[in-house]
Amino acid sequence: MSQDDHDLESWQYVGRRGGDTVTLVGGSVIAAVPEAKRAAEEARQELRFDFLDDRAVLELLRQRHLDEEGMFNAGLKHGVPLALVGFGAAVYWGGVAQYWETAASRNVYLAVAVAVIVVQVFFFVRSAISHWGDPVQQNLRARASRYREIAHIARRGGADIPAHYPHYGPYPFAAKFRPEVDGRDRSESKGADDHGIR
């Protein structure tokens, strides 16, 4: 589901893939907590992003949602067929093919099944690497992850911020900031996969 599928008001974004809309917490609320303001200023230098600029943060969170959707769709496109074919091949082997009379027939079945699964694994891994490895998207994830940390610091410091804001989990990997590609547009980044996700 894209941002266009939601009736977003001017300061809202989608907090999770397919989830409810969330209203942005203003930068002034975060900046009111000295520790959070200090963390935001340090992160600004490191990640080249103003974490107290409401418009920039709103765009960041909307782009992060699209990135999450892209990751999910990439996995779904190749992961589901891989799981179904792998399961079907194993069941057919266990129920039918292993009982064939000739070893040559069993070997041909195994060779074909393995070849099909290897090809599907290749496309699955290629799609995952293409999306997770995109340096422009990694910068987006690094900034979104740091914003989450800053918001949690502000909440612990007494700011009026909802629990779990900004309502998505951290990126445990593929969120390394790459200054050499900062400012490069996603459409210019390398590694577009076979269904248009970069």
Side-chain angles (χ1 to χ4, degrees):
M1 185 177 293
S2 69
Q3 299 285 343
D4 294 335
D5 295 328
H6 293 270
D7 293 327
L8 295 179
E9 295 179 10
S10 57
W11 294 105
Q12 289 185 329
Y13 64 95
V14 180
R16 294 178 189 262
R17 182 184 43 77
D20 295 331
T21 57
V22 179
T23 301
L24 182 77
V25 171
S28 59
V29 175
I30 293 173
V33 177
E35 187 180 354
K37 183 177 182 181
R38 188 165 47 253
E41 289 169 350
E42 290 171 2
R44 179 179 186 169
Q45 297 298 319
E46 180 185 347
L47 300 181
R48 302 177 184 173
F49 184 83
D50 187 353
F51 292 92
L52 301 178
D53 180 337
D54 292 344
R55 292 190 184 283
V57 169
L58 181 64
E59 180 62 20
L60 170 74
L61 295 175
R62 287 179 174 176
Q63 289 299 317
R64 184 220 52 82
H65 168 71
L66 296 177
D67 177 55
E68 186 179 68
E69 272 195 335
M71 288 187 286
F72 177 81
N73 292 336
L76 192 66
K77 180 173 183 176
H78 297 291
V80 170
L82 173 61
L84 291 175
V85 169
F87 179 74
V91 168
Y92 191 75
W93 171 259
V96 178
Q98 70 174 328
Y99 301 111
W100 289 343
E101 292 183 8
T102 63
S105 297
R106 291 193 299 270
N107 290 339
V108 168
Y109 172 79
L110 285 175
V112 171
V114 167
V116 169
I117 290 172
V118 165
V119 168
Q120 287 192 305
V121 167
F122 168 76
F123 283 114
F124 179 78
V125 170
R126 180 175 153 234
S127 176
I129 290 173
S130 172
H131 197 90
W132 280 103
D134 185 304
V136 175
Q137 294 305 102
Q138 287 186 7
N139 284 359
L140 171 75
R141 295 177 202 130
R143 288 170 172 155
S145 179
R146 185 64 61 87
Y147 177 71
R148 180 178 186 268
E149 293 173 13
I150 293 166
H152 283 217
I153 290 170
R155 185 171 187 272
R156 287 193 299 271
D160 184 18
I161 296 177
H164 309 296
Y165 177 85
H167 297 275
Y168 64 89
Y171 286 103
F173 53 93
K176 179 180 179 182
F177 184 71
R178 299 177 180 272
E180 70 276 9
V181 297
D182 187 38
R184 204 168 84 189
D185 189 84
R186 178 176 182 166
S187 64
E188 298 172 359
S189 61
K190 297 179 182 178
D193 70 7
D194 57 338
H195 53 283
I197 294 176
R198 290 179 162 79

